[in-house]
Amino acid sequence: MPSENISVLLDEKRVFKPSKEFVDQTNVKQWMDEHKIKTIDDLYKKAENWEWFWGEAAKELLEFYTPYKKVVEWNAPWVKWFVGAKYNIVHDAVDKHAKSWRKNKVAIIFEGEPGDVRKLTYNDLYIEVNKLANALKKLGVNKGDRVGIYLPMIPELPIAMLACAKIGAIHSVVFSGFSAVAFRDRMLDCEAKAVITCDSFWRRGKKVPLKTQTDEAIKDAPSVKNVIVYKRTNDPVNWTNNRDFWWHEITKDMSKECPTEQLDANDPLYFLYTSGTTGKPKGIIHAHAGYAVGTALTLKWVFDMKDEDIYWCAADVGWVTGHSYIVYAPLILGATSIIYEGAPDWPQQDRWWDIIERYGATILYTSPTSVRLFMRFGEDWPKKHDLSSLRLLGSVGEPINPEAWMWYYRNIGHEKCPIMDTWWQTETGHFVISPLPITPLKPGSATKALPGMSAEVYNEEGKAVQNAGGNLVLTHPWPGMLRGIYKNPDRYEQTYWSRFKNVYLAGDVTRKDDDGYFWIQGRADDVLKISGHRIGNSEVESALVSHPMVAESAVIGKPHELKGESITAYVVLKKGIQPSEDLRKTLTDHVSKELGKIAKPDEIWFVSDVPKTRSGKIMRRVIRAKAMGQDVGDTSTLANPEAVDEIGKAV
Ligand code: WT7
């Protein structure tokens, strides 16, 4: 139980001290004992020697084929970890468990939306991964080749990722909610040789036809030579002979053994696309060994993962949260995880609580958007279920407002589960700013940089500041740090390393309080956070402009009660085209088709011009201020100041 009674705690000054159970028995405490470190302050201090710290962590968590010569090599902005070692993350995630007492331990508890259940042990995973890896090899997929994965939340998604990694191929997973166009663009960028998908999958009682979308995408992606299709729903699909292969057929006669490729520790593991400030998503590169130790240690400490835990990260594997904390880290730790295919309100609004009760989940990791959704459904739904198995809760993706934090704490955690508000990014690979279960918590703050990592808030001059808004920066490399942007080293240097010398710019406006706790306030750049997912303003603008009737568009985010932010688009139509309700709907659907439902504008307004600088840059800040009824500030640098009034008169 928390040592303070929450009813007497006051507004933002609320502090939730850790319970005795956590103080005495956590993994981090055990590590401190083993390293003869007495206090938590001493741990942070000792870990300032981050090279030593991550070397110790690797000793405990990883098994290399051949040892490394150096923990880290830092030639800003390029980093290498465990230099000289031979390694493969699949050895730690699957192979070693299949040869240990965990062989018959359940790795994945899968529940489909219709209620079908499958449990895969580490040995099952080992066999499935090997068979698929052999099938990929048979199709000519080699080390270094890229494989696109377009799958829903079924066990075959982690299996496909692991099979690629096993043979040294690089996977690029695209969220199954993204459109065919978005999938195609990513496959074109990474020049995928093969694609793994399924016939269709369940979402809110309906089937989503992923194979059809795949066909549409790859007809314009000539690098893709083969498609492996998992049969999920048994729906009829179109078929291209010699290109398409059923998963169950191509793996049927494959050997249950497949040697794991002994890679360089810094070989790429995957590319994952994320939105930036241009219309073109960036292919973030992650590598094997550093990423492995960074994800595994942070999960072990922050969520205090033990062998007895039933862990549920309810994110989608299509985003980095799922890559790191559904697939790689839990498997490296030999954990048992839940994977759920479908919607949270199907068939009823208590589906999640029902799942937690039935499997006795002990850890739940989700987003503030989901918490707010459940708040809206009402507290009677969780009350119907026994949630007493839960011991830890987590939050990620966007700042959690204290109201949602308190609701989660009371109604799901029953005031006994600490909430781990983890700040990190696709680029960081793993948690950077996050409490440990022994950290006093303040609702709405992700607390401090974890041991072995270092964050600061810099003002415009690059000076560290306290109690003032500024730029969140990370001041030295960390093991899961991105290794670049695929085919675009300049963009990598420009985006993250050019603002302050040798310091990583995260892109978040942040404040650090008197206790050194960080309060993330939101993105500093033109990137929207919709339900915790990143969408570039310019991506939505490009999608709109790709419609033949649209001349120009400007997209801004507005605060949204549920999703954190909503999308508002201002559209200039081509000469002679008249605004209409039908056109509004057409354009909304068009964006949905180009990018996916998640990027669908909530509002579309027609205007005759949008405010721009003389160099033609759309002034989104000015538009946003006007749209929100705030002071627009100095507009003298605008090429067309009269366009600001247009925003107010939009139809
Ligand atoms: C951006 C990264 C990391 C997995 C999910 C999102 C925001 C993330 C938090 C948090 C406040 C957060 C930041 C960050 N963000 N976690 N706990 N508190 N903001 O990954 O799509 O790469 O987005 O998400 O703005 O920069 P992503």
Side-chain angles (χ1 to χ4, degrees):
M1 288 299 287
S3 54
E4 291 177 52
N5 178 344
I6 54 170
S7 61
V8 302
L9 292 164
L10 300 163
D11 56 37
E12 299 163 10
K13 298 278 185 288
R14 290 177 290 207
V15 177
F16 294 81
K17 297 234 178 89
S19 68
K20 187 148 168 30
E21 171 209 334
F22 282 111
V23 174
D24 294 344
Q25 294 164 23
T26 46
N27 288 335
V28 63
K29 185 68 178 21
Q30 195 192 333
W31 198 90
M32 285 162 62
D33 291 347
E34 282 162 14
H35 289 79
K36 305 202 167 34
I37 297 171
K38 296 230 162 53
T39 67
I40 187 76
D41 289 342
D42 286 349
L43 172 67
Y44 280 98
K45 192 101 211 114
K46 195 105 204 276
E48 282 174 12
N49 182 351
W50 45 277
E51 183 167 354
W52 166 81
F53 178 81
W54 290 110
E56 286 301 292
K59 249 189 238 167
E60 176 193 331
L61 294 163
L62 306 192
E63 288 181 8
F64 295 97
Y65 294 114
T66 61
Y68 55 85
K69 297 197 175 63
K70 241 173 127 182
V71 173
V72 60
E73 202 174 86
W74 175 224
N75 291 314
W78 305 99
V79 75
K80 281 190 176 159
W81 286 89
F82 309 109
V83 184
K86 288 271 176 244
Y87 182 75
N88 190 314
I89 199 167
V90 179
H91 173 80
D92 278 319
V94 183
D95 302 356
K96 84 175 175 201
H97 302 309
K99 309 280 179 214
S100 79
W101 68 267
R102 289 198 184 86
K103 179 173 178 168
N104 293 317
K105 181 179 173 179
V106 173
I108 295 174
I109 301 171
F110 166 72
E111 183 162 307
E113 197 187 70
D116 49 324
V117 174
R118 279 161 65 197
K119 292 183 183 171
L120 283 91
T121 64
Y122 276 91
N123 194 50
D124 294 334
L125 207 54
Y126 177 78
I127 292 169
E128 295 304 321
V129 168
N130 286 344
K131 288 186 147 203
L132 187 68
N134 285 324
L136 286 167
K137 282 209 244 183
K138 188 180 163 189
L139 293 178
V141 175
N142 297 312
K143 177 178 162 185
D145 286 341
R146 275 79 60 207
V147 176
I149 302 179
Y150 196 32
L151 281 170
M153 287 290 286
I154 56 177
E156 282 63 32
L157 176 45
I159 290 167
M161 293 159 75
L162 293 160
C164 292
K166 178 151 230 193
I167 60 173
I170 301 163
H171 59 72
S172 189
V173 177
V174 177
F175 172 50
S176 60
F178 272 141
S179 68
V181 178
F183 180 49
R184 179 202 62 199
D185 290 348
R186 286 157 178 76
M187 293 303 98
L188 282 172
D189 189 78
C190 76
E191 300 146 312
K193 194 167 187 180
V195 157
I196 306 175
T197 188
C198 68
D199 48 1
S200 56
F201 67 95
W202 294 102
R203 190 77 194 176
R204 225 168 250 119
K206 291 206 182 88
K207 285 183 248 182
V208 181
L210 220 46
K211 173 65 162 69
T212 309
Q213 287 172 215
T214 302
D215 289 341
E216 199 182 316
I218 66 175
K219 70 175 196 286
D220 301 318
S223 65
V224 178
K225 301 289 178 250
N226 292 112
V227 182
I228 297 180
V229 188
Y230 180 76
K231 198 175 261 192
R232 166 72 185 123
T233 59
N234 225 347
D235 260 16
V237 290
N238 286 329
W239 207 251
T240 305
N241 284 329
N242 301 322
R243 184 197 74 178
D244 299 350
F245 294 89
W246 285 111
W247 177 308
H248 63 273
E249 282 175 7
I250 195 164
T251 56
K252 195 172 72 209
D253 299 322
M254 290 292 154
S255 164
K256 291 180 188 167
E257 295 296 332
C258 174
T260 303
E261 190 75 30
Q262 301 195 4
L263 302 167
D264 183 286
N266 291 284
D267 276 344
L269 168 63
Y270 67 78
F271 303 160
L272 182 61
Y273 286 84
T274 188
S275 297
T277 51
T278 74
K280 204 170 142 44
K282 326 176 248 201
I284 302 297
I285 306 171
H286 280 293
H288 275 253
Y291 177 81
V293 75
T295 54
L297 183 91
T298 50
L299 183 63
K300 182 162 182 183
W301 283 16
V302 172
F303 284 112
D304 194 41
M305 184 76 87
K306 308 253 166 74
D307 258 311
E308 311 79 62
D309 276 309
I310 305 290
Y311 163 78
W312 187 15
C313 168
D316 194 290
V317 172
W319 309 98
V320 75
T321 309
H323 278 61
S324 299
Y325 296 106
I326 296 178
V327 183
Y328 290 109
L331 293 177
I332 293 171
L333 298 179
T336 300
S337 293
I338 297 171
I339 289 185
Y340 169 57
E341 178 187 33
D345 53 355
W346 191 267
Q348 294 196 117
Q349 294 177 341
D350 60 347
R351 183 64 182 264
W352 278 30
W353 320 127
D354 184 44
I355 289 173
I356 288 173
E357 178 174 11
R358 274 187 289 111
Y359 300 113
T362 56
I363 301 169
L364 174 67
Y365 186 30
T366 185
S367 66
T369 293
S370 302
V371 173
R372 290 190 293 262
L373 182 73
F374 293 124
M375 278 173 79
R376 186 178 278 189
F377 292 167
E379 56 203 52
D380 288 345
W381 290 108
K383 278 211 181 88
K384 282 181 201 249
H385 295 275
D386 177 5
L387 304 180
S388 61
S389 56
L390 288 170
R391 65 184 196 96
L392 274 155
L393 300 174
S395 172
V396 65
E398 53 189 311
I400 182 163
N401 47 313
E403 193 195 349
W405 197 100
M406 289 307 304
W407 189 91
Y408 195 24
Y409 187 72
R410 289 196 174 115
N411 294 288
I412 308 306
H414 299 149
E415 300 181 19
K416 71 177 174 60
C417 304
I419 298 177
M420 301 294 106
D421 179 357
T422 60
W423 178 92
W424 60 296
Q425 310 177 294
T426 305
E427 292 88 339
T428 71
H430 50 74
F431 313 151
V432 177
I433 299 174
S434 165
L436 292 162
I438 52 176
T439 308
L441 304 173
K442 300 186 190 184
S445 169
T447 78
K448 300 195 232 186
L450 288 165
M453 286 173 261
S454 163
E456 277 299 346
V457 177
Y458 277 12
N459 67 11
E460 294 308 303
E461 284 77 51
K463 276 221 170 68
V465 290
Q466 202 140 347
N467 273 322
N471 300 290
L472 180 62
V473 296
L474 307 183
T475 55
H476 64 68
W478 60 97
M481 185 176 120
L482 75 163
R483 303 312 178 84
I485 297 175
Y486 184 55
K487 287 194 301 200
N488 213 335
D490 293 345
R491 191 173 178 192
Y492 168 71
E493 300 205 24
Q494 189 57 38
T495 309
Y496 307 108
W497 303 96
S498 66
R499 185 73 186 75
F500 306 109
K501 197 171 166 27
N502 296 350
V503 157
Y504 173 87
L505 180 75
D508 282 336
V509 180
T510 304
R511 186 173 62 85
K512 191 172 161 183
D513 72 13
D514 288 333
D515 296 325
Y517 278 34
F518 290 90
W519 298 80
I520 316 289
Q521 338 233 265
R523 297 292 305 181
D525 51 12
D526 283 323
V527 171
L528 302 159
K529 271 266 146 180
I530 311 296
S531 306
H533 301 307
R534 248 196 264 185
I535 307 285
N537 299 55
S538 60
E539 252 176 293
V540 183
E541 288 161 3
S542 320
L544 283 162
V545 173
S546 74
H547 191 276
M549 292 181 186
V550 175
E552 232 176 347
S553 93
V555 165
I556 58 159
K558 284 188 187 172
H560 188 274
E561 209 187 308
L562 198 62
K563 302 194 289 180
E565 263 187 309
S566 65
I567 304 178
T568 297
Y570 292 90
V571 169
V572 181
L573 295 171
K574 283 198 180 143
K575 250 202 161 75
I577 310 282
Q578 292 307 316
S580 71
E581 281 314 308
D582 278 354
L583 187 52
R584 225 188 290 271
K585 167 134 196 351
T586 305
L587 294 180
T588 311
D589 292 346
H590 177 72
V591 175
S592 188
K593 188 155 183 292
E594 287 290 303
L595 298 173
K597 278 202 189 98
I598 184 161
K600 204 159 104 170
D602 298 85
E603 295 170 41
I604 291 186
W605 297 97
F606 296 109
V607 288
S608 62
D609 202 1
V610 289
K612 271 176 286 187
T613 60
R614 290 195 182 93
S615 59
K617 193 173 166 317
I618 295 170
M619 289 299 282
R620 301 191 188 94
R621 236 186 322 272
V622 171
I623 301 173
R624 192 166 181 278
K626 183 77 188 173
M628 302 286 295
Q630 296 158 354
D631 180 16
V632 294
D634 182 14
T635 55
S636 62
T637 58
L638 293 182
N640 54 349
E642 63 290 347
V644 179
D645 292 329
E646 275 277 310
I647 298 297
K649 294 188 221 128
V651 291

